[in-house]
């Protein structure tokens, strides 16, 4: 009986499979322990790159005005009156910004109602509403963004009844609430400078103080994103 037991091979494959499976599991655990730290490092680096101002992040983002139909596309140096008596609109401009640059990217309005996008002391400002001063007020909104060197898509959405929103490369960076009768008056606006009366601004910029990195301006009348109510 015992001699037959030792010679019997039934079940041998099962025994071999158990041993082989155990060896594979052990090998897998050893490999996982070795590479897990490296995988975590790569994952962290990827997340940081996509969250930062990198080519990877920018290339996959959409412009917030992509779904809008442009009412005007204005070249650098153009003058325009498209925003006269307008209460709500959006805009888009591709620009090259440097922290050391200053000047007006575009403006419209003048002495009573105005909208202006400009850079001063390393900060990008979008202001709209009453031309009685600068900064946020009940009848004037101001959105700001700290400039870092690079090429950017700058967009804004403005509604004189609720407020304004500023976007950089498709990302909402600043909002401001206010109420005013309109975004601009009858004076002509200018791309890359001032065409009429200079809207108030923190840099005291006037005629001839255009921003060196300005690009063409697209206007979308009566088309907004819904982010204009800020705090």
């Amino acid at each position: 009986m015992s001699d037959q037991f030792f010679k019997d091979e039934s079940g041998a494959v099962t025994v071999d499979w158990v041993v082989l499976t155990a060896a594979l599991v052990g090998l897998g655990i050893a490999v996982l322990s070795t590479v897990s730290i490296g995988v975590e490092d790569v994952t962290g680096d990827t997340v940081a790159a996509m969250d930062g101002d990198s080519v990877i992040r920018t290339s996959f983002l959409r412009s917030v005005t992509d779904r809008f139909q442009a009412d005007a596309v204005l070249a650098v140096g153009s003058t325009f009156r498209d925003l006269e008596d307008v209460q709500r609109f959006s805009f888009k401009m591709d620009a090259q910004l440097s922290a050391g640059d200053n000047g007006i990217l575009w403006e419209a309005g003048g002495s009573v109602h105005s909208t202006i996008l400009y850079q001063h002391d390393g900060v990008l400002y979008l202001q709209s509403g009453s031309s009685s001063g600068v900064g946020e007020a009940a009848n004037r909104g101001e959105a700001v963004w700290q400039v870092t060197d690079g090429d950017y898509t700058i967009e804004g959405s403005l509604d004189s009844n609720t407020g304004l929103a500023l976007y950089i490369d498709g990302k909402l960076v600043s909002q401001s609430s206010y109420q005013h009768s309109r975004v601009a008056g009858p004076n002509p606006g200018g791309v890359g400078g001032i065409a009429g009366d200079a809207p108030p601004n923190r840099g005291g910029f006037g005629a001839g103080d255009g921003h060196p990195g300005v690009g063409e301006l697209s206007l979308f009348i009566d088309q907004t994103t819904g982010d204009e109510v800020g705090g």
Side-chain angles (χ1 to χ4, degrees):
M1 180 70 176
S2 60
D3 186 56
Q4 183 179 357
F5 173 79
F6 287 116
K7 292 181 180 180
D8 193 350
E9 295 184 0
S10 61
V13 173
T14 302
V15 174
D16 291 344
W17 179 249
V18 170
V19 174
L20 180 60
T21 301
L24 290 174
V25 171
L27 179 61
I29 293 174
V31 171
L32 182 61
S33 299
T34 302
V35 303
S36 60
I37 297 177
V39 171
E40 290 178 1
D41 291 342
V42 172
T43 302
D45 292 343
T46 302
V47 171
M50 295 186 73
D51 283 342
D53 293 321
S54 65
V55 175
I56 294 176
R57 182 182 67 86
T58 302
S59 63
F60 285 98
L61 283 174
R62 288 185 56 204
S63 160
V64 297
T65 58
D66 275 351
R67 66 184 186 275
F68 298 158
Q69 181 67 42
D71 294 283
V73 179
L74 306 162
V76 178
S78 298
T79 61
F80 62 94
R81 282 190 167 88
D82 299 77
L83 297 181
E84 182 178 352
D85 296 327
V86 169
Q87 291 187 324
R88 55 197 298 268
F89 78 103
S90 296
F91 74 86
K92 175 182 177 181
M93 174 181 281
D94 292 325
Q96 185 177 58
L97 302 181
S98 175
D101 289 337
N102 290 285
I104 297 170
L105 286 92
W106 72 269
E107 60 81 27
S111 58
V112 180
H113 327 280
S114 61
T115 297
I116 182 171
L117 178 70
Y118 67 97
Q119 182 181 333
H120 174 59
D121 282 349
V123 178
L124 184 70
Y125 294 91
L126 173 62
Q127 178 178 290
S128 184
S130 171
S131 297
S132 60
V134 298
E136 287 188 302
N139 59 357
R140 183 174 54 253
E142 182 185 65
V144 300
W145 180 68
Q146 189 71 42
V147 173
T148 56
D149 296 358
D151 296 330
Y152 297 98
T153 296
I154 306 169
E155 295 169 292
S157 185
L158 302 89
D159 188 327
S160 61
N161 294 308
T162 56
L164 57 83
L166 176 65
Y167 306 84
I168 302 295
D169 286 342
K171 180 180 179 181
L172 177 64
V173 296
S174 185
Q175 296 168 288
S176 181
S177 296
Y178 73 100
Q179 286 187 319
H180 194 58
S181 58
R182 65 199 70 182
V183 298
N187 291 333
V191 182
I194 292 176
D197 293 336
N201 59 85
R202 296 179 183 274
F205 302 130
D209 293 324
H211 193 284
V214 66
E216 70 176 16
L217 173 68
S218 297
L219 298 176
F220 312 92
I221 310 301
D222 291 329
Q223 302 172 80
T224 54
T225 64
D227 291 325
E228 300 78 41
V229 180

